[in-house]
Amino acid sequence: MEPTDMRCVVVIVFGFCCSFGKTHENKPIQTFIIPHSHMDVGWVYTIQESMHAYAANVYNSVTEELSKLKDRKFIAVEQEFFRLWWDAVASDNQKKQVRQLVKEGRLEFIIGGQVMHDEAVTDLDDQILQMTEGHGFLYETFGVRPRFSWHVDPFGASATTPVLFALAGFNAHLISRIDYDLKDTMQHNKKLQFVWRGSGSLKAQQEMFTHTMDQFSYCTPSHLPFSNSSGFYWNGVALFPDPPKDGVYPNMSLPVTKETVQAYAKTMVENIKQRAAWFRTNHVLWPWGCDKQFYNSSVQFSNMDPLMKYINQNSEEFGVTVQYATLSEYFQAVYRSDLVWEVRGSQDFLPYSTEPYQAWTGFYASRNVLKGVARRASSKLHAAETLFARYRISFPDGPVAKDWALDKLRSLRWAVSEVQHHDGITGTESPKVADMYLQHLTQAMMGVEELLAALLLLPHFLQTPGVLQRRYHRTDVQEALEQHVLIYNPLAWNITTVVNVTVTLPSAAVFDDDGQPVAAQIQTSAQSNTTYDLFMVVKLGGLQYRKYLIKFTEKPGAGKPDSYEAKRVRFERRGATDRARSGRRLVPVLNQCYELMFDRDTNLLHSVTYLPEKRRVRMTQDFWEYDANGDVKAGPISDNYVFSANGSATRAYEAAEMEIVPGKIVTEIRQYFFREESDEDYAYSITTRVPECFEATLPCHRLEQSYSLGPLRLNTEVVLRTSSSLKNDRTLYTDDNGYRMMKRTYRKFTNNTLARNYFPMVRAAYIEDELGRLVLLSDRAHGVSSQANGQLEVMLHRRLWNDLPWNLGYNLTLNDSSVVRPTLWMMLGSRNATARLHQREAIELQHRPLVMPIDQPQEPRRGKEPRETSAMLSVVLPPNLHLLSLAIPGWNYSSNHDVQLHRVHSGTDLQVEPDYDRVLLRIMHLFEEGEDQELSKPVTINLKDVLRGVGEVRALEERSLTGTWNITSLQRWKWKTADNLERKNQRCPDEDFTVTISPKEIRTFFVHFSSGNF
């Protein structure tokens, strides 16, 4: 998205610049002209439309024009468009030209991920995935490994991103969109560049030099005093749906001629000097490009070439020199300046505002459905990756074709990577692009579901019966319909949890694969009158699956004693005005951790007591809505990006009903909220599941809540408001991309205080006081705020329309009429107790057990049946370590860099067989330094022992985050800082495969297993 799309005015200041003359000991300003094209992987147009209209032509014409003159250069950023061009458009000759340009360093790949990912609402897992996909392609194809970022368009900057880029081997990071008032201050004080230590635990170990673009951002001036065209964009404006056949695009700028060159030069030099005044070194980064540029590179370079020549011929007069450059050349020049740089700690640049009434905090909640599908797809991909890796190691000659399996995984990797784009998962795209993302995700998930079925159901050897042929030992259950279910735990922890299976019959008994009865509970579904929820208590080892038999009975109550049929108790509808009588008739719901009190006079939650500490907290939960203005003449508006409330929130309902379904496994509280007291259909609902914890191993601290909202009324933004007696002084904590928690202190502003105190919540948010903490964990991203003492509100859904021409023209009004059903898990307790739990609980929510019904209810099969349990051994990590990745990437680059470069440059056929034997392993330490007395300690593990359940580890090699560097050869630039903290030497695995992982570290390895493990 280009700056003019931000509804902000870029002002070119003329006149004052001429007083600058030469700087830095009378040396001319060295200007690095960096040609680029910002190519959104989505946003207004679909990927297919963009490829056809301009994206393919960018690489066609750039390749041709760079090959003509040696001093021309270009940076390529988003890999998805480049890979589509490379695979489907580029000729053999163009590929040969590109290889030569890359080898010469004139075509430089920056960031190298599939997309320029959003930084506010993306999850750590998916940021790493999309980078790994792009980096693997680049290293396998060209032998290059990106060292610099170009994060010019994400809406705010996360402190997690520079940490991940450092782990991937980057030397410098570039950002742009930060608060307008903060950028003004940083420009004035020449503090746009700094060394960023994004992790308080890793400190200097993963610090990153960061360059913040000035107020002109990533585009060159588009408004010139002598022309009303497109400034320095001589190729004009991209045309959709088809490029013009005659090559003449709308709004092409005046060509550079003898008559115009002086005016162009004066404008360019003045802009360069204006920018130079905001930085400490004598170097200016001058980005030449913007959204959808360089689709006609010939006209671009043929005009810039003589302009640059003219400026350099008159450099003594202008005090400026200009040169085509790549981003690495600019950062090398700054690095060689040998200055001491200011250190920025682990704070981020979120939220982000462009003007006093334009807080870009609305997109945290835009397109809730897309955000949820994207996270489910990521979770399913993780499960499939781990299962396929185990299958390949254990059964390399099994019947599941490895190339077919890898194709299924790669399709979902591509789809999940694609939607991380900063106009994708953010919900800021047009409806047709949102539909495109959803289609790509759902189609790829269907393919992976086929793969999962094959991995789990097909016999591993021809003589081994498949799951469908295996039978179960059953006793004293009358013959009836039966159904088989597989449940897989994708985490490297042993778990005991409650799984919900939707069934169509009202009574059932459950048995495990040993034929033993399983504790179960069945009840009418909260979401449907025609289905039932069957809750089962499952015990699964790390990365293990088990098979379960559901035996249905026709008569309610005819199942085993281990099965319980729960019945609901209904309470009378209450109006929201009945609160004067509240607190007199309370209904308790208890387990070993909590006593929840619900108020019969309001049908709302009244209080929660944390029983281990006997701490009672007054608490209510209900829905509130902000009215949004849709008329730009009436005041600030809300849209896909911006949240601008038209006053305080008001209660979103007039009456509430409640049902309680007491159970032996879970007790379910269902609350329904009606817009009008006489409405028949509810507008919102909360379903709270309280685990009964009849077994000590079943956790009692997790209160699972699911919600239903929509369709909303037009121009409303609905929040779940949890109001408590905690004294948090409006301070809350939210996660940065699931990596670490950030303290968010309430700030007062002259304008728009409400919206500017909203923050992104990717996995977790909490409020606390001296005695306790209230934690919410999320299955998708939301906006979150604490607008009053003891209050935590989560924006769950938005439906908006406005008459701003820019929004109407691009169809970005967010008229989202969908029904959304997000999930939050709630915990209450002391700060110490919740600190030990919330990181792991957030991951367990993200990666819940995978439930796969094998068949539909049917008559039981006859015949003698072998009893067989799963031969899959468990893989278990300590509680403070998380198995971030266990996958077979398939990239066939050599681990030896010299060998890989020889292979790339030899000219031999690079279409080689994927590597199915190299396993990518990542392990992350979940805790910060000092966060917990025990769990924050470094952990030493033996990977050979840990992975014994997978197979016999033969070789282990530590790599960079995305796998392209051997960690022993990775040398990152060390930028000078005042404190001059030293980096620790990277510890490689010992010969006995022992590894020590420190707080917040992510360690990445290539693992090779011995063949024929089983």
Side-chain angles (χ1 to χ4, degrees), residues 682-717:
Y682 61 87
Y684 317 102
S685 71
I686 304 174
T687 301
T688 304
R689 289 170 181 161
V690 182
E692 288 302 310
C693 311
F694 61 95
E695 296 187 29
T697 54
L698 188 64
C700 64
H701 53 264
R702 177 195 303 166
L703 301 174
E704 301 186 11
Q705 293 192 318
S706 57
Y707 314 90
S708 174
L709 301 88
L712 303 184
R713 293 183 294 186
L714 196 59
N715 282 333
T716 56
E717 304 174 77

Side-chain angles (χ1 to χ4, degrees), residues 381-395 400-407 409 413 451-452 455 488 872 886-890 915-916 919:
L381 176 62
H382 175 83
E385 296 275 23
T386 58
L387 203 56
F388 177 61
R390 297 206 64 170
Y391 183 90
R392 276 291 306 160
I393 295 161
S394 301
F395 309 105
V400 178
K402 58 188 179 183
D403 53 348
W404 173 81
L406 189 59
D407 283 345
L409 292 171
R413 291 173 191 167
L451 171 60
L452 287 165
L455 294 172
Y488 174 60
M872 184 178 281
L886 182 72
I888 296 176
D915 187 337
Y916 292 98
V919 176

Side-chain angles (χ1 to χ4, degrees), residues 37-48:
S37 180
H38 185 70
M39 302 161 71
D40 284 303
V41 184
W43 191 37
V44 175
Y45 303 102
T46 67
I47 289 162
Q48 294 78 9

Side-chain angles (χ1 to χ4, degrees), residues 277-324:
W278 298 325
F279 293 92
R280 295 177 60 200
T281 73
N282 198 37
H283 315 101
V284 169
L285 188 163
W286 205 77
W288 178 36
C290 201
D291 288 50
K292 300 181 284 292
Q293 285 294 317
F294 281 88
Y295 45 82
N296 188 344
S297 298
S298 175
V299 70
Q300 288 283 82
F301 283 111
S302 64
N303 281 280
M304 183 59 87
D305 287 349
L307 174 58
M308 290 173 58
K309 182 178 179 181
Y310 179 83
I311 292 173
N312 286 332
Q313 286 174 340
N314 297 277
S315 61
E316 188 71 23
E317 173 190 347
F318 287 131
V320 166
T321 65
V322 292
Q323 66 189 75
Y324 289 126

Side-chain angles (χ1 to χ4, degrees), residues 628-773:
N629 170 43
D631 181 3
V632 293
K633 296 177 181 178
I637 60 163
S638 283
D639 63 11
N640 292 34
Y641 308 88
V642 172
F643 171 43
S644 184
N646 190 18
S648 300
T650 57
R651 190 177 291 110
Y653 63 97
E654 291 297 330
E657 289 182 1
M658 181 170 64
E659 300 175 351
I660 297 180
V661 187
K664 291 186 176 180
I665 293 178
V666 296
T667 289
E668 194 169 79
I669 303 95
R670 304 170 181 175
Q671 295 164 286
Y672 304 100
F673 299 83
F674 300 83
R675 285 199 185 100
E676 303 295 336
E677 197 160 350
S678 59
D679 284 354
E680 291 187 11
D681 298 323
Y682 61 87
Y684 317 102
S685 71
I686 304 174
T687 301
T688 304
R689 289 170 181 161
V690 182
E692 288 302 310
C693 311
F694 61 95
E695 296 187 29
T697 54
L698 188 64
C700 64
H701 53 264
R702 177 195 303 166
L703 301 174
E704 301 186 11
Q705 293 192 318
S706 57
Y707 314 90
S708 174
L709 301 88
L712 303 184
R713 293 183 294 186
L714 196 59
N715 282 333
T716 56
E717 304 174 77
V718 177
V719 300
L720 172 76
R721 179 173 286 178
T722 304
S723 302
S724 76
S725 56
L726 293 175
K727 296 177 175 59
N728 72 314
D729 194 29
R730 296 190 290 191
T731 296
L732 76 156
Y733 296 77
T734 70
D735 68 307
D736 238 18
N737 312 112
Y739 180 64
R740 59 188 305 269
M741 300 302 293
M742 308 291 291
K743 185 176 182 179
R744 311 294 194 182
T745 304
Y746 189 87
R747 297 170 61 198
K748 291 185 178 179
F749 299 91
T750 304
N751 300 301
N752 215 21
T753 292
L754 192 157
R756 293 186 77 174
N757 279 286
Y758 253 83
F759 301 91
M761 167 193 185
V762 178
R763 290 187 187 175
Y766 62 77
I767 59 173
E768 64 180 20
D769 61 14
E770 292 288 330
L771 299 175
R773 177 183 289 173

